[in-house]
Amino acid sequence: MVLTHNLPYKLFFIFGLVSNYYVDQARAFATTLPSSATQCGSYTVTWSATESQSIGPPFKLSIIPVNGPQASSADAGGLGPAGLSLPIVTTIPDTAFNAATMSGSFKIDAFPLRSGERFIVVMDDGFGLGTGGVSSIQTVSSTAQGSGCLPDQNANSNVPFTLSTLTPTTCQALTITSGPVKAIRGFIPGGKPFSLDVGTAGGTSVTTEWTIDVAASTSFVLLYEGSTAGVLASSGLITVGSGSCSGNGTGSLSTTSGGSAIVASASSSNTSSRSSSSSSSSSASQSPSSGSSTSSTSASTTVGNTGGSGNGALQSFMSLQSSFITGILVAVVAFLG
């Protein structure tokens, strides 16, 4: 029978879909953030994995401003990069990670974002981009511990990185003009990371075209990494409007689910904190003063594959898992029937 003859191949195909899904899950790990960030204060990020998860250096921490205190709300989009602090992208020393305990800790001595500014945090490791999750939007507290750590307020706007519109719609072509580029990455707060295919250079300018494949009402931020080390810029938060997808369909449009599960937790380890540095900078290549240490007592937010119960982001993630498994079962019935 044809069914019998093709059965091994069909089962192999289904096994491949399931195994790829769970391999991706095994590559995730949990990242824990402090409950708050303070201008020029210390900021410690910790991360860990279970035995069933893959984790390993090099680790990279990205902190991307999404809007400023002038925004009416944390999720207000379309304001652009004007007035935003520079993004922070730093490779964490391997010594900050303990392979035996599958955990690590990294401290920024002087957090270089302004009071009231909103931002997201992303963790990568040697197994991929965003494997430690993409945080929800965080806000720098109204208190401050000095201002010497802050860069030039217009530094982000001075980087050659512009968009054809700050109010794109689904299936619309977005034109991104930049200087020489290493990568353009995107992040949906509390959800997925993604990368864009960078366009071709014309002299010192690079034009990248992206047809928006993100669902309407979804917000994202783009991070520009220039070919020169330390040249970084944020697009600010952008919210996608409803557009016409005639002929393209909407089934493949990305949504906020499927990224990181976010749950609140409490941290109660007590250690002395190092003094914060306060050197001023107006250069995009400036790295924050940092080192590795344990976290001081505070509430915290965990981002990544925690396996615990949580809020809407976790529920959306679990819903995606359920939908995926349902899809596999439908595929089994279709293939075997």
Side-chain angles (χ1 to χ4, degrees):
M1 295 287 290
V2 174
L3 177 61
T4 304
H5 176 73
N6 289 334
L7 182 59
Y9 301 99
K10 294 176 178 180
L11 292 177
F12 180 79
F13 174 77
I14 294 169
F15 173 77
L17 288 175
V18 176
S19 62
N20 284 339
Y21 171 73
Y22 283 105
V23 164
D24 286 341
Q25 298 310 301
R27 288 175 180 165
F29 60 92
T31 302
T32 301
L33 310 177
S35 60
S36 64
T38 303
Q39 174 182 307
C40 294
S42 63
Y43 188 83
T44 299
V45 176
T46 62
W47 64 96
S48 62
T50 65
E51 292 182 359
S52 64
Q53 297 169 327
S54 297
I55 187 174
F59 295 95
K60 186 165 73 172
L61 173 69
S62 299
I63 299 174
I64 304 110
V66 298
N67 62 37
Q70 79 280 10
S72 59
S73 63
D75 57 358
L79 300 178
L84 291 182
S85 298
L86 294 168
I88 303 163
V89 177
T90 185
T91 298
I92 297 173
D94 292 352
T95 53
F97 177 66
N98 186 325
T101 61
M102 300 180 69
S103 62
S105 177
F106 181 73
K107 179 181 178 181
I108 297 174
D109 288 329
F111 195 74
L113 268 64
R114 293 173 173 78
S115 293
E117 201 162 9
R118 284 86 172 219
F119 63 96
I120 61 169
V121 178
V122 183
M123 276 287 288
D124 307 333
D125 78 341
F127 287 91
L129 302 177
T131 43
V134 178
S135 79
S136 58
I137 296 174
Q138 313 289 302
T139 303
V140 183
S141 68
S142 58
T143 59
Q145 296 185 18
S147 60
C149 73
L150 299 177
D152 176 8
Q153 191 165 1
N154 295 316
N156 192 70
S157 300
N158 293 336
V159 178
F161 177 62
T162 59
L163 310 183
S164 58
T165 178
L166 294 173
T167 55
T169 60
T170 54
C171 300
Q172 174 189 358
L174 177 67
T175 301
I176 303 167
T177 306
S178 68
V181 59
K182 174 184 177 182
I184 299 176
R185 298 178 62 188
F187 308 97
I188 296 173
K192 298 177 180 179
F194 56 92
S195 296
L196 301 185
D197 293 329
V198 177
T200 55
T204 58
S205 179
V206 178
T207 300
T208 299
E209 296 282 347
W210 173 37
T211 299
I212 303 293
D213 56 353
V214 177
S217 301
T218 301
S219 295
F220 66 88
V221 61
L222 296 178
L223 170 67
Y224 164 74
E225 297 185 52
S227 57
T228 301
V231 178
L232 306 164
S234 165
S235 66
L237 196 67
I238 296 171
T239 302
V240 179
S242 179
S244 174
C245 294
S246 177
N248 296 321
T250 58
S252 62
L253 294 178
S254 300
T255 63
T256 56
S257 61
S260 60
I262 303 175
V263 297
S265 62
S267 173
S268 58
S269 58
N270 294 292
T271 61
S272 59
S273 59
R274 295 168 55 183
S275 60
S276 301
S277 64
S278 59
S279 58
S280 62
S281 168
S282 60
S283 168
S285 61
Q286 171 90 10
S287 296
S289 175
S290 58
S292 59
S293 69
T294 53
S295 175
S296 58
T297 303
S298 66
S300 57
T301 300
T302 299
V303 180
N305 191 2
T306 62
S309 60
N311 61 10
L314 175 60
Q315 293 168 359
S316 296
F317 179 60
M318 297 302 293
S319 176
L320 182 76
Q321 287 182 313
S322 176
S323 298
F324 181 89
I325 294 172
T326 301
I328 290 295
L329 293 176
V330 171
V332 170
V333 173
F335 270 62
L336 300 184

